[in-house]
Amino acid sequence: RSFTSQTDGEARVSRVLREKFPRASTIKVVDISGGCGAMYEIHIESEEFREKRTVQQHQMVNQALSEEIKMMHGLRIFTSTPK
Amino acid sequence: GSMSGALRVVWRWARGGGGRALSQAATGTTGDSGAQGGGGSGGSGSREAVERLVRAHPVVVFMKGSPAQPQCGFSNAVVQILRLHGVEDYRAHDVLQDPDLRQGIKDYSNWPTIPQVYLNGEFVGGCDILLQMHQNGDLVEELKKLGIRSALLDAEKDQDKK
């Protein structure tokens, strides 16, 4: 899917993540609820995750998206650090 | 190893989505004030009550539905992963039966979603993290620390013999 066909929800979540994770090398947000904004899959690679346990990395994403998450039914998070 | 057939079915189910938003879900079906902030001391969602639950057994899961009948694809995934490792003896709490607990467990772990997995009283994560631990071998190690031998170790041994 091309960048220009991003949903409003995907764009908003991406924007929040870019603000909260300025050192992120990759941010990918996909609405996996068929465009309903009910469920998102988030992939984020950032130096800010280095040396942190996965659950801590996911917590950082949860905190960053605390307002957006209130509107979601669920979300999937995949974090990583640059090679 | 790769995802088993059972888990693949679970992911398709989980993608169905639907249901209430997490903020609405947090207040429970009745929307009563008891569901807010974990309630007072002694309530099923209070910090003390949750603490007792997570410490009651080496493996404790907060999920939607029961291991015999999960009500959510992500909760089912946790049940299936534990089953793959031969972990059948664990405490499972159905948050759909208890709105106070549903909110209380989220406050306790500061984690917005269900399911939640606790090993030795410590919050480990949700189903994505448990799946990752299953795939990279960490779950076998964590179970070993609890004195639980993963069934997958015996499965590997059988394969080596062939």
Side-chain angles (χ1 to χ4, degrees):
Chain A
R1 181 145 54 98
S2 71
F3 182 75
T4 52
S5 68
Q6 204 181 34
T7 68
D8 288 347
E10 287 169 344
R12 184 175 63 251
V13 172
S14 294
R15 189 177 60 246
V16 172
L17 290 173
R18 276 200 301 279
E19 287 169 8
K20 302 278 174 70
F21 295 96
R23 298 174 69 192
S25 37
T26 302
I27 292 176
K28 185 171 113 174
V29 177
V30 183
D31 182 323
I32 55 174
S33 60
C36 293
M39 198 172 296
Y40 290 92
E41 187 171 297
I42 291 162
H43 297 255
I44 173 166
E45 178 189 86
S46 177
E47 196 60 42
E48 289 144 308
F49 294 136
R50 197 168 294 282
E51 306 291 310
K52 293 189 164 65
R53 294 167 64 204
T54 306
V55 68
Q56 287 177 280
Q57 297 176 7
H58 287 209
Q59 271 295 34
M60 291 166 70
V61 177
N62 286 340
Q63 306 291 3
L65 296 174
S66 59
E67 285 304 307
E68 286 71 24
I69 284 176
K70 288 177 188 167
M71 305 298 169
M72 300 176 192
H73 175 68
L75 79 164
R76 306 197 61 199
I77 300 173
F78 299 89
T79 53
S80 58
T81 47
K83 302 284 179 297
Chain B
S2 62
M3 209 186 292
S4 73
L7 284 181
R8 269 197 290 275
V9 171
V10 160
W11 293 135
R12 280 203 291 277
W13 178 20
R15 283 166 168 267
R20 293 167 300 167
L22 289 172
S23 61
Q24 292 174 333
T27 58
T29 52
T30 59
D32 65 358
S33 58
Q36 297 285 2
S41 66
S44 61
S46 71
R47 202 153 186 91
E48 298 79 17
V50 172
E51 184 88 23
R52 275 196 298 275
L53 291 180
V54 306
R55 292 193 188 287
H57 194 277
V59 183
V60 180
V61 174
F62 297 85
M63 59 182 289
K64 293 181 180 179
S66 65
Q69 213 167 15
Q71 295 295 312
C72 156
F74 299 134
S75 288
N76 188 27
V78 166
V79 169
Q80 297 307 327
I81 291 170
L82 291 175
R83 186 164 292 152
L84 280 174
H85 288 262
V87 181
E88 299 280 6
D89 176 28
Y90 59 95
R91 295 286 175 274
H93 300 284
D94 182 359
V95 301
L96 297 177
Q97 302 296 324
D98 187 343
D100 286 345
L101 178 61
R102 187 172 181 171
Q103 183 57 44
I105 193 63
K106 292 174 186 174
D107 293 339
Y108 180 84
S109 58
N110 193 25
W111 187 267
T113 51
I114 303 292
Q116 296 192 12
V117 179
Y118 291 76
L119 297 180
N120 225 28
E122 195 183 317
F123 177 58
V124 159
C127 91
D128 285 338
I129 289 177
L130 199 71
L131 180 63
Q132 184 180 309
M133 290 172 67
H134 162 67
Q135 290 173 330
N136 68 17
D138 282 355
L139 185 54
V140 170
E141 289 307 310
E142 289 302 315
L143 290 173
K144 189 191 283 187
K145 289 182 196 169
L146 302 178
I148 300 171
R149 180 178 172 81
S150 169
L152 293 183
L153 290 172
D154 299 321
E156 282 170 16
K157 254 180 36 189
D158 290 340
Q159 283 183 348
D160 286 343
K161 277 196 215 141
K162 286 195 182 110

